[in-house]
Amino acid sequence: MQELGRLEDLPLEYRSALTEKNLVPLWPSLRAVLPPGVPTRRTQPICWPYQELRPLLLQAGVLTPMEKAERRVLVLANPGHGLENMKASATIYLGMQLLLPGEWAPAHRHTPNAVRMIVEGEGAYTTVEGEKCRMSRGDLILTPTGLWHEHGHDGEEPVVWLDVLDLPLVYFMETSYVTEGKRQAVTSEAADSAYHCAGVLPAPAFKRAGSAFPMLHYPWVNVRAALVSMAARQPDAEAVQVAYVNPETGADCQKILGYSALMLRPGEALNLPARSCATVFHQIEGGAHVSVTAQSFKLAAADTCCIPGYTPVTLRNDSATEPAFLFIADDAPLQKALGLYEIRNP
Ligand code: 1HN
């Protein structure tokens, strides 16, 4: 590839004249913004073990009351992006949120899309547009763009969940903002039962039918049962994996980030080809090794890691007797919509 002229090759006077007029020569920076073959990625492979962050999160519960936090969260920040930028990858924000018994995180709505994966504790709930979604370990609760949401806790133990947002992208686009609201009236207590089973839809239609986000709560008991049944009935399936989708259209449940759950059978190893999207893995149950060329993370329950795009990944369950279950988040829906999504076969 042809070497291009450098900034230093240009006379100082000419450079000053350009700067003065808010002009920049492209050629000294062209290779940096358009590298050959593989993009430059600031995202580093990184792991956040739950047992290391949990005591610090509980300490935040002592140090900072809810009135002073609104959302009591420790952000899982990728050092490759600069910790202060609060990014796990270029588009993905991750945070571990703590809610203590009796606490309330007030209602608001905002432009970024969020989901929460429940990590530990019983008794908390998120009310989304009047639908009360009770949290249990492994449940996925959606708070998509523009929908009112707040969190409450009637239980007796700390509740922790993993927030996943497309905040870095929405902020980068200069479209991120919030509106504060009043406590919502609960209009529905068991809305997750509306889409209990694939292939059947409520008739007459459920009240959210036809909206962009008809289903807001994906209970883990159902998702786990689907994976276990798939593993038993499809022994030849390459990957035992299910995607979280809109039950009426089959499309990804949100437009920017995509979510799935994957089961590794006892002893199973799975090679995932390099894809253009960065990927987050969160261990729901069991343990797994997540390996890239130079690095390997051993995930235990509730651990979370992030892998940059264009990187092949191997997942391995070392247990000879127990399955392993992973929650996966990536920005494949966004990349597909923009025509940027790639799978590179080795
Ligand atoms: C948010 O609304 C929540 O509602 C959590 O629990 C984390 C991080 C950035 C922006 C909004 C929540 C968030 C957030």
Side-chain angles (χ1 to χ4, degrees):
M1 192 171 257
Q2 178 82 35
E3 200 161 313
L4 301 176
R6 299 166 305 168
L7 201 55
E8 307 84 84
D9 300 337
L10 297 169
L12 259 183
E13 205 177 318
Y14 177 69
R15 287 159 62 182
S16 307
L18 291 179
T19 308
E20 177 96 357
K21 303 286 180 213
N22 298 314
L23 296 169
V24 175
L26 171 62
W27 58 96
S29 304
L30 184 59
R31 298 284 185 251
V33 294
L34 217 50
V38 186
T40 306
R41 286 138 299 153
R42 299 189 70 183
T43 305
Q44 293 173 4
I46 171 135
C47 182
W48 297 270
Y50 188 59
Q51 288 312 322
E52 291 179 13
L53 73 84
R54 185 178 188 276
L56 296 167
L57 185 56
L58 291 175
Q59 206 177 340
V62 178
L63 294 171
T64 307
M66 275 308 281
E67 303 73 58
K68 291 286 175 194
E70 217 163 279
R71 299 294 192 264
R72 192 191 288 110
V73 177
L74 294 181
V75 179
L76 280 49
N78 194 315
H81 287 280
L83 297 183
E84 68 286 2
N85 291 313
M86 301 196 298
K87 300 177 180 190
S89 77
T91 58
I92 304 176
Y93 159 103
L94 299 174
M96 282 285 180
Q97 181 161 173
L98 170 69
L99 198 65
L100 294 170
E103 287 184 336
W104 178 61
H108 68 190
R109 59 180 187 172
H110 41 68
T111 46
N113 293 274
V115 302
R116 35 216 43 114
M117 162 56 46
I118 313 312
V119 173
E120 71 163 288
E122 295 284 330
Y125 58 88
T126 301
T127 307
V128 192
E129 296 281 314
E131 277 184 26
K132 188 167 182 174
C133 305
R134 293 193 173 279
M135 299 180 180
S136 277
R137 171 69 183 137
D139 287 5
L140 190 74
I141 297 173
L142 270 49
T143 57
T145 179
L147 302 198
W148 291 107
H149 59 282
E150 63 197 81
H151 314 298
H153 192 340
D154 308 325
E156 263 140 44
E157 48 191 346
V159 168
V160 177
W161 62 81
L162 176 69
D163 290 310
V164 188
L165 283 85
D166 49 21
L167 178 65
L169 177 79
V170 177
Y171 183 78
F172 174 76
M173 294 197 299
E174 302 185 341
T175 50
S176 177
Y177 72 94
V178 71
T179 309
E180 295 193 349
K182 292 196 293 286
R183 195 162 194 140
Q184 298 169 75
V186 173
T187 54
S188 163
E189 285 262 359
D192 54 290
S193 61
Y195 298 103
H196 179 76
C197 163
V200 289
L201 295 176
F206 177 55
K207 69 170 170 131
R208 302 188 57 77
S211 72
F213 310 102
M215 184 166 176
L216 299 172
H217 184 190
Y218 297 73
W220 175 236
V221 281
N222 299 342
V223 178
R224 191 186 196 284
L227 289 167
V228 169
S229 148
M230 192 178 161
R233 288 163 199 239
Q234 299 180 42
D236 299 333
E238 199 179 315
V240 183
Q241 188 170 10
V242 293
Y244 293 89
V245 300
N246 175 327
E248 296 181 343
T249 64
D252 291 301
C253 67
Q254 291 186 348
K255 287 188 177 172
I256 297 177
L257 301 185
Y259 303 99
S260 63
L262 183 143
M263 173 176 152
L264 294 169
R265 304 173 181 92
E268 182 174 352
L270 186 64
N271 293 317
L272 306 175
R275 302 186 308 152
S276 48
C277 52
T279 307
V280 169
F281 298 94
H282 170 81
Q283 190 82 43
I284 300 180
E285 274 182 51
H289 291 265
V290 178
S291 308
V292 294
T293 315
Q295 242 167 324
S296 184
F297 301 121
K298 189 171 195 278
L299 300 191
D303 291 354
T304 307
C305 74
C306 180
I307 304 294
Y310 299 86
T311 309
V313 183
T314 300
L315 305 176
R316 201 177 75 242
N317 177 11
D318 275 347
S319 170
T321 53
E322 302 303 320
F325 295 94
L326 289 158
F327 171 63
I328 300 177
D330 60 39
D331 56 6
L334 170 72
Q335 293 196 355
K336 286 176 183 168
L338 299 178
L340 295 170
Y341 183 73
E342 268 185 73
I343 302 179
R344 296 207 172 165
N345 290 312

